[in-house]
């Protein structure tokens, strides 16, 4: 991520990217929101996903060794509410996340144009129209943000139901095991207590589901700005002019 940020800055400074002479608002969006979005991929997606997979798999193996019924009754609600629900809702949240980024970019671009061209806009009598455009973009961003909040509320509900379902499954199946003396009361209590924390294990996946559209869209827009830099710098060849007093001719120069 650090090398990516340096690469994008150097590419823009050298004019090597595919985006030639971008507008100030577009450039601001690439250097701020897009790069900041990619900063969260490792912290908010990769690490929580690996941690949740390892913990759930390890706990399922331990419970399966005690009782397959206990493992299924405990892990299944967490998988449904904490893993499957973010995957399904994340498909719909991806579109809203991209629309939110586009609306914020439009607001930044129009605001930058308003600031840089305020004199010309005042002379042309278009300052109010430009200000209304900024307000409209902000309104669209607020509407998409509200829909993302609704998705977040649904994910919170699903995760809560999954966590409570895991505790209920552990209680119902564990009581039968304790009654048949297959599990000691101490182990049964430890399993129930650990089930309360399963909701926290999959909680970061809810945030990842809401931001996956933002990450993919940011990566897609950053890619044209990337430059290709060699590890070594070619030294310019030294040529002696054949006719120092004549004209200098440049042929096939890029």
């Amino acid at each position: 991520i650090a090398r990516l940020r340096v690469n994008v800055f150097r590419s823009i400074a050298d004019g090597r990217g595919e985006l030639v002479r971008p507008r100030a608002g577009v450039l601001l969006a690439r250097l701020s929101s897009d790069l900041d979005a990619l900063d969260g991929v490792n912290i908010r997606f990769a690490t929580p996903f690996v941690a949740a997979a390892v913990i759930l798999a390890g706990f399922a193996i331990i419970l399966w060794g005690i009782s397959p019924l206990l493992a299924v009754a405990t892990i299944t609600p967490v998988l449904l509410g904490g893993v499957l629900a973010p995957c399904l809702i994340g498909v719909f949240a991806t579109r809203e996340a991209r629309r939110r980024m586009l609306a914020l970019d439009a607001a930044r671009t129009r605001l930058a144009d308003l600031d840089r061209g305020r004199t010309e806009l005042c002379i042309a009598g278009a300052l109010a129209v430009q200000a209304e455009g900024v307000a409209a973009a902000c309104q669209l961003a607020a509407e998409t943000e509200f829909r993302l909040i609704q998705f977040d509320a649904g994910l919170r509900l699903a995760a809560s139901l999954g966590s409570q379902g895991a505790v209920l499954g552990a209680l119902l199946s564990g009581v039968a095991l304790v009654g048949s003396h297959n599990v000691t009361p101490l182990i049964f209590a430890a399993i129930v207590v650990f089930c309360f924390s399963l909701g926290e294990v999959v909680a970061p996946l809810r945030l990842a589901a809401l931001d996956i559209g933002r990450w993919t869209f940011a990566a897609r827009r950053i890619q044209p700005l990337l430059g290709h830099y060699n590890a070594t710098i070619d030294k310019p060849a030294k040529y002696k002019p054949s006719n120092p007093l004549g004209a200098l001719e440049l042929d096939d120069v890029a």
Side-chain angles (χ1 to χ4, degrees):
I1 292 297
R3 289 193 295 269
L4 174 65
R5 188 179 295 272
V6 173
N7 191 321
V8 171
F9 272 75
R10 290 181 59 186
S11 177
I12 294 175
D14 297 342
R16 288 182 165 182
E18 296 180 11
L19 188 60
V20 181
R21 297 182 63 85
R23 297 170 66 183
V26 176
L27 190 61
L28 176 63
R30 300 300 182 272
L31 296 181
S32 57
S33 62
D34 289 347
L35 286 175
D36 290 341
L38 295 178
D39 280 341
V41 173
N42 182 32
I43 299 175
R44 303 185 64 179
F45 175 72
T47 303
F49 181 80
V50 173
V54 171
I55 293 175
L56 289 179
F59 191 53
I61 292 174
I62 294 175
L63 294 182
W64 190 272
I66 298 175
S67 170
L69 177 61
L70 178 62
V72 172
T74 304
I75 300 299
T76 301
V78 179
L79 293 178
L80 293 177
V83 179
L84 182 60
C87 292
L88 295 178
I89 297 181
V91 175
F92 301 97
T94 298
R95 180 182 177 185
E96 297 300 329
R98 294 176 178 176
R99 291 186 62 186
R100 177 178 176 272
M101 289 189 67
L102 290 174
L104 291 176
D105 287 348
R108 293 189 186 97
T109 303
R110 295 173 185 177
L111 189 59
D113 293 342
L114 177 65
D115 178 63
R116 299 183 64 182
R118 57 186 179 275
T119 302
E120 292 80 1
L121 291 172
C122 288
I123 295 175
L127 184 64
V129 176
Q130 184 69 17
E132 291 177 359
V134 176
C138 293
Q139 178 64 27
L140 179 59
E143 293 175 357
T144 55
E145 181 71 23
F146 178 73
R147 286 191 285 271
L148 287 175
I149 292 175
Q150 291 178 325
F151 285 132
D152 182 59
L155 289 175
R156 288 178 182 272
L157 177 61
S160 178
L161 293 177
S163 178
Q164 295 177 10
V167 176
L168 181 61
L171 287 173
L172 295 179
S173 57
V175 167
L177 294 175
V178 173
S180 60
H181 302 287
N182 292 327
V183 174
T184 63
L186 183 59
I187 295 179
F188 170 67
I191 293 174
V192 173
V193 171
F194 191 79
C195 287
F196 281 98
S197 63
L198 290 180
E200 300 297 328
V201 172
V202 297
L205 300 182
R206 170 179 56 86
L207 301 177
L210 297 176
D211 285 340
I212 188 68
R214 179 188 175 200
W215 295 330
T216 55
F217 195 51
R220 188 180 305 169
R221 298 198 303 183
I222 285 294
Q223 195 275 335
L225 292 177
L226 296 179
H228 301 283
Y229 299 96
N230 297 325
T232 60
I233 300 177
D234 297 332
K235 295 182 180 180
K238 295 181 180 180
Y239 294 99
K240 184 178 180 179
S242 58
N243 186 7
L245 301 179
L248 179 63
E249 180 181 354
L250 302 179
D251 186 18
D252 193 19
V253 177

